[in-house]
Amino acid sequence: MRFLGDKRSIGSILLTAMILIGWKGFAQKTDTLNAPPAVLPGVYADPNLTVFNGKFYIYPTTDGTTGWLSTYFTCWSSDNLVNWKNEGTIIDLPKDLSWAKVRAWAPTIAQKNGKYYFYYSADVNIGVAVADKPTGPFKDPLGKPLIKKGSVRGQVIDPMVFVDDDGAAYLYFGQGQCHVVKLNDDMISCDTTKMISFKPEGYNEGPFMIKRKGIYYLMWSEYDTRDPRYSIAYATSTSPLGPFKKAVGFPVLKGKGVVKGAGHHSVVQVPGKDEWYIAYHRFKIPGGNGYNRETCISSMKFDKDGNILPVDVFEKLKPVKLKDYKKR
């Protein structure tokens, strides 16, 4: 037992233990070979994350086919952002549409007038569907696209609808070029002659708008979704229509290590709090690619000047409760 009585030996043991503990903590922080699990089982991409009446919802693209040939959309619900329930198919293109049968991509949803308005890409057009509940059933009120392919420069895909504090709603969309148009009060029509088109530096697709403390943040995906460098950038404005000034520095979100192709996102604010979360897809781990992607969620933070801080794609998602949320 002389070893235990040797102060120098005890000190060496303690020092070694501290170093090992410190290294373990450091390794955990910088471990890019292990990522948190996806929040949805299977392959889903382009997730639109939102909150309605005290519950979170995700509306994704169904992935897993070369050329992205999905024909239907699903809805998922959660009470805590971590555990998700499949609410089933909410639109089946061959059954529910007369004008498109394939390429069901990148949906979004908005609530107004006591209704839920679901916007989506279908065969490179943008459509709209309406329901009384966020889980549907959704019906096509137009019998035709809201925005037809070929009507603007670039692909007519990736719709996002932002409803401002004054109730005005704006539709953002476009691959290769960003377009924005104010929707009419009925939420299923717009004056395309008043559409604004522009292309921020690095813009490719997936526009998404949020508003925080009077500042409008237009976010988008850069590179191609099949490219491991796929990532998210943003620009700011004092108007939902711009002009927008691109933020400099690191992207909002990009892959690292085992995480590749992280992009095409959406953002949700916890009601009543300055607390934000970003949903996005990445190449499926393991063995994924631009046609086999999975949905993830991470926290998103701002600095004191309102800049969006780089998202840590290796941070473990903690449950978020909305039990104190009051229906508005």
Side-chain angles (χ1 to χ4, degrees), residues 54 74 117 174 246:
T74 56
Y117 299 88
K246 186 176 181 179

Side-chain angles (χ1 to χ4, degrees), residues 196-271:
I196 296 173
S197 300
F198 56 98
K199 185 175 182 177
E201 180 185 354
Y203 178 91
N204 183 41
E205 60 190 9
F208 198 88
M209 172 65 73
I210 63 172
K211 184 180 182 181
R212 178 181 183 268
K213 297 185 178 181
I215 300 298
Y216 296 86
Y217 294 76
L218 177 65
M219 310 169 74
W220 63 84
S221 294
E222 301 192 337
Y223 299 101
D224 185 271
T225 190
R226 293 163 291 190
D227 191 324
R229 297 174 297 171
Y230 200 54
S231 52
I232 296 168
Y234 77 98
T236 57
S237 178
T238 56
S239 164
L241 299 174
F244 294 95
K245 181 179 180 181
K246 186 176 181 179
V248 297
F250 296 102
V252 174
L253 185 145
K254 65 180 298 185
K256 185 178 182 181
V258 71
V259 175
K260 301 182 185 302
H264 202 125
H265 74 302
S266 57
V267 175
V268 72
Q269 180 182 9
V270 175

Side-chain angles (χ1 to χ4, degrees), residues 53-54 111 116 325-328:
N53 306 324
Q111 182 185 27
Y116 295 88
Y325 174 76
K326 294 181 180 179
K327 185 175 179 180
R328 292 180 291 177

Side-chain angles (χ1 to χ4, degrees), residues 64-101:
T65 58
T66 301
W68 311 289
L69 299 177
S70 172
T71 61
Y72 64 95
F73 292 105
T74 56
C75 170
W76 300 72
S77 66
S78 174
D79 293 321
N80 62 7
L81 272 188
V82 174
N83 305 114
W84 291 87
K85 174 186 176 183
N86 189 346
E87 298 286 355
T89 299
I90 56 173
I91 291 184
D92 185 306
L93 269 57
K95 293 181 180 178
D96 299 329
L97 300 184
S98 61
W99 49 272
K101 305 301 179 186

Side-chain angles (χ1 to χ4, degrees), residues 25-145:
F26 175 78
Q28 288 176 341
K29 290 180 181 179
T30 59
D31 180 8
T32 61
L33 299 179
N34 296 281
V39 295
L40 301 184
V43 284
Y44 293 93
D46 314 326
N48 188 93
L49 174 64
T50 189
V51 60
F52 296 127
N53 306 324
K55 183 172 285 191
F56 294 105
Y57 293 90
I58 287 179
Y59 301 85
T61 295
T62 305
D63 221 20
T65 58
T66 301
W68 311 289
L69 299 177
S70 172
T71 61
Y72 64 95
F73 292 105
T74 56
C75 170
W76 300 72
S77 66
S78 174
D79 293 321
N80 62 7
L81 272 188
V82 174
N83 305 114
W84 291 87
K85 174 186 176 183
N86 189 346
E87 298 286 355
T89 299
I90 56 173
I91 291 184
D92 185 306
L93 269 57
K95 293 181 180 178
D96 299 329
L97 300 184
S98 61
W99 49 272
K101 305 301 179 186
V102 72
R103 299 184 182 90
W105 301 343
T108 190
I109 192 168
Q111 182 185 27
K112 191 176 177 180
N113 307 325
K115 301 283 187 180
Y116 295 88
Y117 299 88
F118 185 75
Y119 303 83
Y120 54 92
S121 306
D123 200 19
V124 199
N125 302 269
I126 289 176
V128 58
V130 187
D132 294 322
K133 299 185 299 182
T135 54
F138 285 87
K139 301 296 182 182
D140 176 12
L142 301 178
K144 62 180 181 180

